[in-house]
Amino acid sequence: MDKVWLITGCSTGFGRELAKLVLKQGYKAVVTSRNTDDVIDIVAPYPGTAIALPLDVTKQSDINAVVTQALQKFNRIDVLVNNAGIGYFGAIEESEEEEVRRMFEINFWGLAHVTKAILPVMRKQRSGHIINISSVGGLVAFPALGFYNATKFAVTAYSEALAKETAHLGIKITTVAPSGFRTDWAGRSAKDSALTIDDYAPTAGANKNTVRGYSGSQKGDPVRAAKAIVNVVESENPPLLLLLGSAALRNAKNKLAALQRDFDDWENVTKGADYPEGE
């Protein structure tokens, strides 16, 4: 139980429940949020094993300060959970570049910059586990979420490459891909595009309304999700990709089946793009 966790985005949702759980189970934790007032209640009962630090993942100075203070407090970092993220609803054509770029800065570049700051620590230790919170939307794309999907597809690909680069150093990587959970993601944590184009009402508009409509009543339980993540970290052979939630499993399996059909149906065309044998 001497592992030190560093968790981003702990004010709500997965980050909050995970921070509470790891501290309750006896781990040490660096609990971060843009405003530490939002997480003081989490760390207050654990003065010896927890520290709350301000972190905006889009600011390199914040990232550097968190890593420095974490090491000063605990001397090591064993588990990094990149949880900070936001959502955005809008058809591709409706979406505002400024908002999309902001989402990429948080969901992808923020995650990448925090990871890059932690990797030297884990390389020196020759051990560590990085948990990147992606989404089933990092495997399957949905109307009204195209640019959000793009950030999460990027996280999934980045994590897979990183896992292949770091395995020999004792550093494990797991991408977590949840479906709908009762967090604030589909509530105030996600913006809508300012522009609405009527032609997209049956696709992007309908899906946005569906997702917004079930905010707060999703099947996914953040407390159970936190327990699943702890189980992964405690496992000897953690998965590269962990789906969370029955909807995530269903959508991922449907995507696999659709890909397999296309691969099989177009196999001859695919192979025909190579030079003939012997050339």
Side-chain angles (χ1 to χ4, degrees):
M1 289 298 180
D2 60 347
K3 280 190 171 70
V4 178
W5 293 59
L6 193 161
I7 309 169
T8 72
C10 295
S11 60
T12 60
F14 285 176
R16 184 174 185 83
E17 296 304 331
L18 186 57
K20 288 161 59 177
L21 179 62
V22 299
L23 287 167
K24 183 179 179 181
Q25 291 194 351
Y27 292 106
K28 300 178 178 70
V30 181
V31 179
T32 73
S33 175
R34 282 182 295 175
N35 184 348
T36 54
D37 290 344
D38 295 334
V39 296
I40 287 297
D41 63 306
I42 299 174
V43 302
Y46 305 97
T49 57
I51 182 173
L53 296 176
L55 176 59
D56 180 338
V57 297
T58 68
K59 296 180 178 178
Q60 190 65 50
S61 58
D62 278 14
I63 296 171
N64 294 343
V66 163
V67 174
T68 297
Q69 292 177 71
L71 293 175
Q72 287 174 346
K73 175 75 173 178
F74 297 121
N75 298 315
R76 60 186 297 114
I77 298 168
D78 299 291
V79 184
L80 167 64
V81 182
N82 281 308
N83 171 70
I86 61 171
Y88 180 79
F89 290 95
I92 299 295
E93 190 179 347
E94 295 170 341
S95 298
E96 306 142 294
E97 184 171 338
E98 182 179 357
E99 294 295 337
V100 169
R101 285 183 177 274
R102 174 175 176 266
M103 181 169 57
F104 266 93
E105 286 297 325
I106 296 169
N107 291 7
F108 178 71
W109 284 113
L111 176 149
H113 291 155
V114 174
T115 300
K116 191 172 184 178
I118 296 296
L119 283 171
V121 178
M122 292 184 173
R123 281 195 295 108
K124 184 178 180 180
Q125 294 169 177
R126 282 301 194 264
S127 67
H129 199 154
I130 298 173
I131 306 287
N132 288 331
I133 306 298
S134 180
S135 166
V136 67
L139 296 170
V140 185
F142 301 95
L145 292 165
F147 282 111
Y148 172 78
N149 293 146
T151 69
K152 295 302 187 177
F153 267 72
V155 168
T156 302
Y158 167 94
S159 301
E160 183 176 342
L162 185 62
K164 293 173 180 177
E165 293 172 356
T166 62
H168 71 293
L169 300 172
I171 302 171
K172 301 173 183 178
I173 312 294
T174 298
T175 304
V176 177
S179 49
F181 276 72
R182 293 184 194 179
T183 65
D184 197 38
W185 178 86
R188 67 180 178 86
S189 294
K191 284 190 173 184
D192 290 336
S193 61
L195 174 65
T196 301
I197 299 174
D198 289 343
D199 281 345
Y200 295 114
T203 54
N207 192 51
K208 179 184 74 173
N209 291 337
T210 297
V211 176
R212 287 289 200 193
Y214 65 56
S215 180
S217 60
Q218 299 96 326
K219 288 190 68 174
D221 179 356
V223 174
R224 288 182 170 86
K227 291 177 180 177
I229 293 169
V230 172
N231 287 342
V232 164
V233 170
E234 291 176 343
S235 170
E236 286 294 319
N237 296 296
L240 173 62
L241 176 67
L242 176 70
L243 297 168
L244 287 181
S246 55
L249 183 62
R250 181 176 65 253
N251 280 289
K253 284 187 172 183
N254 288 343
K255 174 69 175 284
L256 281 174
L259 286 172
Q260 189 65 59
R261 285 194 298 272
D262 281 350
F263 296 161
D264 292 343
D265 290 347
W266 291 85
E267 182 175 353
N268 290 336
V269 175
T270 299
K271 292 178 177 178
D274 290 344
Y275 285 110
E277 195 71 29
E279 290 190 19

